[in-house]
Amino acid sequence: GGGGEGEVMHEPAAAAGGAPAAADGEAMAAEGEGEEENEEETALNEYVEDMEAKAQELGCVGNMEDCFDKSWEIIKQYPEVAVKETTDYLLLVGNDLAKKGEEDLGRAFVHQSLMMQYCMDLSVNGANGVAQFFKRMNHPEPEVRRKARGHFEAELDEYWGKILARARSIAKENAAKGKQQEMLDALKPPGS
């Protein structure tokens, strides 16, 4: 090759007046490792994007009337989302949305995070906690279903209340810092 930008030259090092040609094999091996690392990184990034998209889909149904039915369908379609990392992701997104003032959607994501936490807690000793959770939430007997959902909603209300209070407190602090900075900027001499 002409040695242009981004082009890899595969000339023996000895022919170029450098180290013996055996060093070229080592360089090629190192180059191959770099390509493998790039492929692994690309695969990992694709996996994370895929999981985020699935978690987003799950999070967005948290405020729907039939959220437990919809959630169960999503988890059956994508069983790989039934992991602690999804629970954490949904909670982080819910917190971020609360801080941005998007309270309805934030609550939906926190709802789904708590739902997934319940599933994980029920999944001890190899039990299928996901199926157990949805069996309770969608129980055919209205009284059993009402009691299970009532307990869940009470815990969600308490948990969401704490998150919302903290988000509002942070927003007030940030607003106060912004006003303070505006006042400091106004006191600066012109041209400084």
Side-chain angles (χ1 to χ4, degrees):
E5 191 174 319
E7 188 175 325
V8 179
M9 295 179 57
H10 294 288
E11 297 176 17
D24 188 48
E26 292 171 13
M28 287 175 56
E31 180 182 306
E33 287 175 20
E35 287 175 13
E36 283 180 27
E37 287 177 14
N38 287 340
E39 289 174 11
E40 287 176 12
E41 186 175 332
T42 299
L44 180 60
N45 287 338
E46 289 172 358
Y47 171 77
V48 168
E49 288 175 13
D50 181 56
M51 288 297 288
E52 282 182 346
K54 292 171 182 173
Q56 289 278 336
E57 182 180 343
L58 184 62
C60 288
V61 301
N63 277 347
M64 294 184 172
E65 180 78 26
D66 58 349
C67 66
F68 292 115
D69 293 328
K70 296 261 190 230
S71 298
W72 182 223
E73 290 304 315
I74 291 169
I75 293 170
K76 286 191 292 187
Q77 183 178 357
Y78 309 120
E80 63 272 19
V81 301
V83 293
K84 182 185 181 312
E85 290 77 8
T86 302
T87 303
D88 296 343
Y89 176 82
L90 292 166
L91 181 59
L92 288 171
V93 172
N95 270 300
D96 288 346
L97 290 166
K99 289 176 190 172
K100 293 176 184 174
E102 297 180 43
E103 295 179 9
D104 288 342
L105 190 55
R107 188 178 193 282
F109 273 77
V110 171
H111 177 284
Q112 298 302 81
S113 175
L114 185 61
M115 177 192 71
M116 293 303 297
Q117 183 61 51
Y118 269 62
C119 291
M120 298 299 103
D121 289 349
L122 290 169
S123 294
V124 292
N125 301 322
N128 185 345
V130 176
Q132 287 180 17
F133 176 81
F134 288 105
K135 184 177 180 182
R136 291 178 188 172
M137 293 298 143
N138 295 323
H139 200 279
E141 292 181 34
E143 184 58 27
V144 173
R145 185 175 58 245
R146 186 195 60 74
K147 186 175 179 182
R149 289 183 179 196
H151 175 75
F152 179 86
E153 290 294 328
E155 188 168 340
L156 173 64
D157 288 343
E158 180 182 343
Y159 196 44
W160 176 243
K162 290 176 184 177
I163 290 170
L164 199 52
R166 181 67 184 135
R168 289 175 177 166
S169 173
I170 289 170
K172 283 181 184 176
E173 290 172 14
N174 289 342
K177 287 178 187 175
K179 287 181 183 178
Q180 182 181 23
Q181 187 60 47
E182 285 178 27
M183 289 175 20
L184 290 173
D185 290 344
L187 295 174
K188 286 183 183 177
S192 62

